[in-house]
């Protein structure tokens, strides 16, 4: 079984795998340690990753990037309109989901962002599988901490469609923190002051900061803040705008009227930007940019910094907010760790360093830290690896509330409750208690829509609780619902049950008075306040353990612990009497839709494979023709009669002519057949040659043995 971690970036995706000796980042088919997060469509097959990048400029209309930022969004969202500036294929709508319209195999097709992500993840799967020489299924993938429920569900669906099992969607900076902590042997002990590290990730589109406390064997995220539109691409765009104006004046060309020219300038601008991270000035030259005009100019680092000054002015904002929410000051931060490609920009480093007033740390590989953290997380969650236990306490970024219809029987009942607050621990389970006499519905939604990206709909899900009825005395059924913000940061009402008050005998606890009080508090006067979030988050499972169910387990365990006959007492307890079925409606795809998409994806994979195999057979044939032509008058010259030589040469020539004419675009079977035709002529000659080689070898061995 495979253990894989994936940093699915806006620009680049990095894949790490856990193997016996540790965690390694793997290379793709062209030996790169990062793969462009791009999907392209061609006349015969798709281009996934590297080939999509190679084809990009000649195939702009059919190439889609920004994949992760599109998944789970709607076309009308202003954020998606921003994204369209960076995506060369036209974005369209399918049933409320942003999609791209492309030409694939000569047909106009529309694919949802979820499908596009699953196409890319198929490629990730193939890359990892080729490297590991194993089928790949389990993985952990990272997302920006600000991703909402619907975005996270979209990525889960995409992974499933690609035949992957996502064990955890992990926040980017938390993954970096795990990679940092799990390899450190000098973390403070439980009773010591924790080590506090600020992790700052600035990538292609996105900037996040997490303040994390480390102790031996655990990390606790204290705060995570972000600027959702801050990254390398903003630098590139500032440069493109600058050069567009310069070229207009200097060369009288308007690149903004020519999409291909814009993309070429953007690619050159990105290169220039990288050079300016290490040099004070650099040239930019593009041949025949448009209208046969060659362009050439210089830029100084300080000029670039002036161009992005509006961005640089915002650097401190997430940092300040992170400290505020963690209730810490700059002096409390022991270490500032930078990750993400854009943190190589000297102006950003300077501003961050100045903000914290301390030397920055780069102990993590900036490009690989997040993928490595994900691979460690996958190893922790996977049964195949034994990993040092490391608990991960992440936090809730958006408060979530439940709302419900007022019960006709409880006139003064509230109809909403915020159950998860920003800064609460995540994952976490809360038990909600309702008093009802009939089936009821509740809805979950984000309590503060203004915190959400763009114009995200705050709705999360609708949950219908069935089989609820009054008891024989026409009294309320006590319904308990388990609301869980899970390892992925996705909310579900996972199960429901009902309880009855019963008198049970239980041992009198000798110690832990405080715990007893907590327990007593758990069920206050519920008639007035029908929804009681119980289970303090400190009791919740953490990442290193399998989901562990609580409350009820606790009671049964106590009831069973009667072996050593401790003193007991009679107490009134709520005892679980039966299950309540729950029907959930969420933003996840329906099973049937997912299955249909998975089937479609599989068919496209087969199509791609057939095209690749055909190409391979064609190349084999071409190589074989050249090889035979060279060898027939050389290596094989003494093993063929003149007549045979003439016949083979004629066959080779005919085959070559065919290959460059009608054979240019044949099927796999036809290439194989052509190869067999030549082999039929060449076979006896080659055989004679090998017989001779073998005879010589045998003779030599006999001489040696004698
Ligand atoms: P995101 O995290 O925003 O989704 P990502 O993970 O794909 O995106 P990274 O791979 O961390 O992003 O970083 C890519 C960005 O870093 C690109 O904009 C790239 O141009 C920029 N970058 C890489 N190296 C340098 C450098 N030496 N100087 C300046 N910028 C750089
Ligand atoms: K990345
Ligand atoms: Mg990134």
């Amino acid at each position: 079984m495979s253990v894989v971690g994936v940093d699915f970036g806006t620009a680049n995706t990095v894949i790490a795998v856990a193997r016996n000796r540790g965690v390694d980042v793997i290379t793709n088919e062209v030996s790169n340690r990062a793969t462009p997060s791009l999907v392209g469509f061609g006349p015969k097959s798709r281009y996934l990753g590297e080939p999509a990048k190679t084809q990009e400029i000649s195939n702009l209309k059919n190439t889609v990037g920004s994949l992760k930022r599109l998944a789970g969004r709607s076309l009308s969202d202003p954020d998606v309109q921003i994204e369209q500036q960076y995506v060369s294929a036209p974005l369209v709508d399918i049933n409320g989901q942003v999609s791209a319209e492309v030409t694939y195999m000569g047909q106009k097709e529309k694919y949802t962002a979820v499908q596009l992500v699953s196409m890319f993840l198929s490629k990730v799967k193939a890359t990892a599988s080729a490297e590991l020489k194993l089928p790949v299924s389990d993985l952990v993938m990272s997302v920006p901490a600000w991703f909402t429920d619907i975005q996270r569900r979209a990525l889960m669906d995409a992974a499933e469609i690609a035949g992957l099992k996502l064990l955890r969607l992990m926040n980017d900076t938390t993954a970096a923190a795990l990679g940092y902590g799990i390899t450190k042997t000098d973390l403070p002990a439980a009773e010591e002051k924790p080590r506090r590290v600020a992790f700052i990730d600035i990538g292609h589109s996105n900037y996040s900061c997490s303040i994390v406390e480390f102790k031996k064997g655990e990390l606790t995220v204290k705060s995570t803040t972000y600027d959702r539109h801050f990254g390398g691409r903003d630098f590139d765009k500032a440069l493109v705008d600058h050069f567009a104006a310069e070229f207009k004046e200097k060369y009288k060309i308007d690149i903004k009227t020519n999409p291909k020219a814009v993309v070429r300038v953007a690619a050159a601008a990105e290169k220039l930007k990288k050079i300016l991270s290490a040099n004070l000035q650099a040239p930019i030259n593009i041949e025949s940019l448009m209208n046969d005009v060659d362009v050439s100019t210089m830029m100084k680092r300080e000029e670039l910094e002036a161009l992005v000054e509006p961005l640089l002015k915002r650097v401190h904002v997430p940092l300040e907010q992170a400290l505020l929410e963690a209730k810490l000051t700059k002096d409390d931060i022991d270490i500032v760790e930078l990750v993400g490609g854009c943190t190589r920009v000297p102006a950003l480093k300077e501003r961050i360093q100045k903000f914290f007033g301390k030397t920055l740390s780069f102990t993590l590989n900036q490009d690989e830290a997040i993928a490595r953290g994900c691979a460690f997380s996958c190893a922790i969650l996977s049964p195949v690896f034994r990993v040092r236990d490391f608990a991960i306490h992440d936090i809730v970024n958006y408060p979530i509330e439940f709302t419900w219809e007022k019960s006709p029987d409880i006139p003064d009942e509230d109809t909403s409750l915020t159950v998860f607050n920003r800064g609460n621990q995540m994952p976490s389970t809360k038990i909600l208690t309702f008093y009802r006499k009939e089936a009821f519905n509740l809805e979950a939604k984000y309590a503060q829509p203004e915190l959400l990206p763009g114009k995200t709909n705050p709705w999360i899900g609708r949950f219908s609780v069935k089989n609820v009825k009054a008891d024989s005395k026409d009294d309320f059924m006590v319904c308990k619902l388990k609301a869980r913000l899970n390892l992925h940061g996705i909310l579900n009402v996972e199960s429901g049950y009902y309880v009855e008050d019963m008198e049970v005998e239980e041992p009198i606890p000798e110690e832990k008075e405080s715990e007893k009080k907590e327990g007593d508090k758990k069920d206050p006067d519920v008639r007035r306040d029908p929804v009681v979030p119980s289970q303090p988050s400190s009791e919740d499972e953490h990442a290193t353990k399998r989901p562990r169910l609580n409350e009820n387990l606790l009671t049964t365990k106590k009831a069973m612990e009667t072996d050593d006959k401790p003193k007991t007492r009679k107490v009134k307890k709520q005892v679980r009497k039966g299950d309540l079925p729950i029907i959930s409606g969420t933003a996840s795809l329906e099973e049937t839709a997912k299955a249909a998409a998975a089937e479609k994806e599989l068919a496209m994979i087969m199509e791609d494979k057939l095209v690749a195999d055909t190409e391979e057979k064609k190349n084999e044939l071409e190589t074989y023709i050249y090889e035979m032509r060279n060898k027939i008058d050389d290596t094989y010259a003494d093993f063929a009669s003149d007549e045979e030589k003439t016949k083979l040469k004629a066959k080779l020539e005919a085959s070559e002519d065919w290959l460059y004419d009608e054979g240019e675009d044949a099927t796999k079977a036809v290439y194989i057949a052509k190869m067999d035709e030549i082999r039929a002529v060449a076979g006896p000659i080659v055989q004679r040659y090998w017989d001779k080689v073998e005879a010589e070898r045998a003779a030599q061995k006999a001489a040696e043995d004698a």
Side-chain angles (χ1 to χ4, degrees):
M1 230 198 292
S2 58
V3 173
V4 177
V6 175
D7 169 5
F8 179 28
T10 306
N12 306 300
T13 293
V14 180
I15 309 168
V17 301
R19 297 194 261 226
N20 307 332
R21 275 162 284 117
V23 164
D24 304 323
V25 164
I26 63 168
T27 56
N28 64 18
E29 72 272 27
V30 293
S31 302
N32 286 337
R33 295 171 76 84
T35 298
S37 308
L38 279 182
V39 173
F41 296 85
K44 289 200 241 163
S45 66
R46 302 179 295 180
Y47 311 123
L48 306 176
E50 295 287 355
K53 186 79 189 169
T54 315
Q55 303 276 347
E56 186 179 20
I57 290 183
S58 61
N59 194 34
L60 283 178
K61 285 255 162 296
N62 302 308
T63 303
V64 196
S66 277
L67 300 169
K68 77 168 181 192
R69 296 176 71 95
L70 298 176
R73 308 301 294 268
S74 61
L75 183 65
S76 59
D77 194 306
D79 266 11
V80 172
Q81 296 310 311
I82 294 175
E83 246 23 70
Q84 178 73 84
Q85 298 176 27
Y86 301 96
V87 179
S88 52
L91 298 177
V92 296
D93 170 75
I94 301 180
N95 300 329
Q97 295 185 68
V98 58
S99 309
E101 186 173 69
V102 294
T103 303
Y104 172 48
M105 302 220 271
Q107 303 278 330
K108 275 244 177 294
E109 303 278 359
K110 291 178 188 176
Y111 297 108
T112 65
V114 168
Q115 278 178 296
L116 295 164
V117 171
S118 69
M119 292 179 194
F120 183 72
L121 293 180
S122 282
K123 179 67 182 193
V124 167
K125 184 180 175 187
T127 302
S129 176
E131 172 72 21
L132 286 168
K133 301 184 176 62
L134 275 175
V136 164
S137 162
D138 293 0
L139 84 162
V140 168
M141 191 161 90
S142 67
V143 288
W146 54 265
F147 267 33
T148 61
D149 195 82
I150 186 168
Q151 289 175 290
R152 289 168 192 262
R153 285 180 192 273
L155 293 180
M156 296 293 293
D157 287 344
E160 201 181 324
I161 290 167
L164 291 165
K165 193 164 153 218
L166 205 39
L167 301 188
R168 180 171 194 161
L169 265 183
M170 199 173 203
N171 292 335
D172 284 327
T173 37
T174 308
L178 176 60
Y180 174 96
I182 204 161
T183 53
K184 295 277 183 288
T185 50
D186 60 345
L187 295 177
E191 67 284 359
E192 291 174 314
K193 184 168 93 58
R195 180 184 303 173
R196 298 196 178 100
V197 184
F199 291 90
I200 296 163
D201 171 22
I202 310 180
H204 192 53
S205 66
N206 178 68
Y207 165 12
S208 310
C209 171
S210 280
I211 294 177
V212 181
E213 290 187 350
F214 290 92
K215 287 191 172 182
K216 212 168 271 317
E218 74 177 314
L219 73 83
T220 306
V221 179
K222 303 308 286 182
S223 63
T224 302
T225 52
Y226 24 75
D227 188 328
R228 299 181 185 101
H229 298 283
F230 187 123
R233 69 181 190 178
D234 298 294
F235 284 67
D236 303 347
K237 188 168 186 306
L239 284 169
V240 170
D241 290 345
H242 169 82
F243 290 131
E246 183 177 332
F247 298 161
K248 208 172 193 171
E249 184 162 323
K250 200 160 144 193
Y251 300 106
K252 311 289 174 240
I253 53 171
D254 184 1
I255 61 165
K256 295 280 169 121
T257 62
N258 182 332
K260 211 168 270 189
V262 172
V263 175
R264 289 184 68 200
V265 173
E270 186 179 10
K271 263 193 209 120
L272 174 78
K273 170 189 74 176
K274 290 183 185 174
I275 298 171
L276 287 177
S277 291
N279 299 274
L280 291 176
Q281 62 171 29
I284 173 168
N285 301 299
I286 308 172
E287 270 177 38
S288 188
L289 178 58
M290 64 184 278
N291 309 347
D292 283 329
V293 178
D294 300 343
V295 300
S296 163
T297 182
M298 293 286 292
M299 174 150 287
K300 293 201 174 83
R301 184 190 286 172
E302 63 200 56
E303 290 175 85
L304 170 60
E305 288 171 0
L307 290 177
V308 296
E309 183 54 30
L311 213 56
L312 296 178
K313 278 208 177 82
R314 297 189 342 230
V315 174
H316 67 99
V317 178
L319 306 178
E320 248 158 32
Q321 199 194 338
L323 287 174
L324 191 75
E325 291 190 15
K327 300 190 179 65
L328 295 170
T329 67
K330 293 169 189 181
D331 296 334
D332 295 322
I333 305 300
D334 299 307
I335 294 168
V336 181
E337 281 284 344
L338 301 194
V339 298
C342 203
T343 54
R344 292 197 180 82
V345 172
L348 288 175
K349 288 195 276 194
E350 272 159 35
R351 306 251 169 160
I352 295 167
Q353 168 149 3
K354 214 165 131 207
F355 177 88
F356 285 103
K358 55 175 57 77
T359 315
L360 303 176
S361 175
F362 294 90
T363 62
L364 298 170
N365 179 317
Q366 275 162 291
D367 299 312
E368 302 180 353
I370 292 172
R372 291 173 55 82
C374 289
F376 277 119
S377 167
C378 192
I380 290 171
L381 293 167
S382 160
V384 272
F385 268 81
R386 279 208 305 151
V387 188
R388 196 181 312 145
D389 216 21
F390 206 91
I392 305 160
H393 310 289
D394 210 328
I395 51 172
V396 176
N397 284 309
Y398 306 114
I400 295 173
E401 69 176 2
F402 279 89
T403 61
W404 55 90
E405 304 141 23
K406 202 187 280 278
S407 162
D409 309 303
I410 312 174
D412 60 347
E413 183 185 63
D414 286 335
T415 56
S416 75
L417 182 79
T418 299
V419 175
F420 299 94
N421 275 297
R422 185 170 165 91
N424 283 6
Q425 189 172 306
M426 193 269 300
S428 136
T429 302
K430 308 270 176 155
I431 307 291
L432 313 183
T433 307
F434 285 88
Y435 290 80
R436 285 294 187 277
K437 292 178 182 176
E438 54 201 24
F440 63 102
N441 300 318
L442 63 161
E443 284 202 338
K445 61 179 203 232
Y446 286 118
Q448 280 176 264
E450 68 279 10
L451 296 180
L452 304 176
K455 283 237 163 4
T456 302
N457 183 341
W459 183 85
I460 295 173
R462 180 182 170 87
F463 307 94
S464 298
V465 187
K466 304 292 182 194
N467 292 6
V468 181
K469 48 185 179 293
D471 70 8
S472 51
K473 288 173 244 149
D474 193 37
D475 210 349
F476 292 105
M477 183 180 256
V478 185
C479 308
K480 301 265 180 182
L481 306 180
K482 194 171 287 172
R484 180 159 170 80
L485 194 54
N486 65 21
L487 274 178
H488 312 297
I490 288 171
L491 180 89
N492 281 306
V493 176
E494 291 191 335
S495 61
Y497 55 93
Y498 60 98
V499 296
E500 272 173 26
D501 284 342
M502 297 207 7
E503 204 155 77
V504 293
E505 213 161 79
E506 66 162 31
I508 296 167
E510 279 144 40
E511 299 155 293
K512 299 202 176 167
E513 275 306 304
S514 60
E515 246 182 39
K516 195 188 88 198
K517 270 186 217 134
E518 276 252 6
D520 290 346
K521 260 198 312 207
K522 220 180 260 174
D523 283 303
D525 183 6
V526 278
R527 293 285 155 102
R528 302 209 136 264
D529 182 14
V531 180
V532 184
S534 66
Q535 297 304 92
S537 53
S538 60
E539 292 239 358
D540 294 337
E541 63 160 302
H542 52 72
T544 53
K545 303 221 173 84
R546 297 261 158 234
R548 161 165 61 90
L549 304 187
N550 29 53
E551 194 175 64
N552 213 41
L553 219 76
L554 270 170
T555 38
T556 44
K557 209 164 150 211
K558 275 184 193 157
M560 280 174 354
E561 279 170 4
T562 48
D563 285 349
D564 46 356
K565 302 257 182 304
K567 284 185 204 152
T568 61
R569 63 179 181 188
K570 287 207 164 137
V571 289
K572 246 193 167 178
K573 279 239 139 153
Q574 292 191 324
V575 176
R576 185 170 175 151
K577 299 299 278 186
D579 290 338
L580 294 173
I582 291 173
I583 297 177
S584 306
T586 66
S588 290
L589 283 177
E590 301 281 341
E591 290 304 322
T592 49
K594 256 188 306 203
E599 203 170 299
K600 211 165 171 185
E601 175 59 26
L602 222 50
M604 284 193 267
I605 290 174
M606 297 314 289
E607 204 68 58
D608 292 344
K609 188 170 166 350
L610 183 62
V611 170
D613 288 352
T614 307
E615 192 62 25
E616 196 182 307
K617 288 293 164 204
K618 186 183 171 192
N619 289 338
E620 258 172 40
L621 176 62
E622 196 174 12
T623 311
Y624 189 63
I625 292 171
Y626 282 116
E627 190 190 316
M628 285 324 253
R629 178 173 301 147
N630 288 334
K631 287 186 172 171
I632 191 61
D633 288 326
D634 183 28
T635 319
Y636 301 145
D638 297 341
F639 302 92
S641 67
D642 287 344
E643 192 193 333
E644 281 175 321
K645 283 184 192 167
T646 312
K647 194 175 164 203
L648 179 58
K649 283 181 189 171
K651 184 80 210 163
L652 291 173
E653 198 175 316
S655 303
E656 191 184 19
D657 289 347
W658 174 83
L659 196 53
Y660 295 123
D661 188 22
E662 58 188 301
E664 180 70 47
D665 193 15
T667 64
K668 182 176 157 189
V670 171
Y671 290 124
I672 293 173
K674 281 279 165 193
M675 185 93 148
D676 289 345
E677 278 175 35
I678 306 175
R679 280 215 177 99
V681 182
I685 304 170
V686 178
Q687 189 57 47
R688 275 173 233 143
Y689 166 76
W690 283 114
D691 287 350
K692 163 107 183 301
V693 171
E694 176 57 21
E696 278 174 3
R697 199 193 59 81
Q700 195 181 348
K701 187 158 186 297
E704 275 167 20
D705 291 349

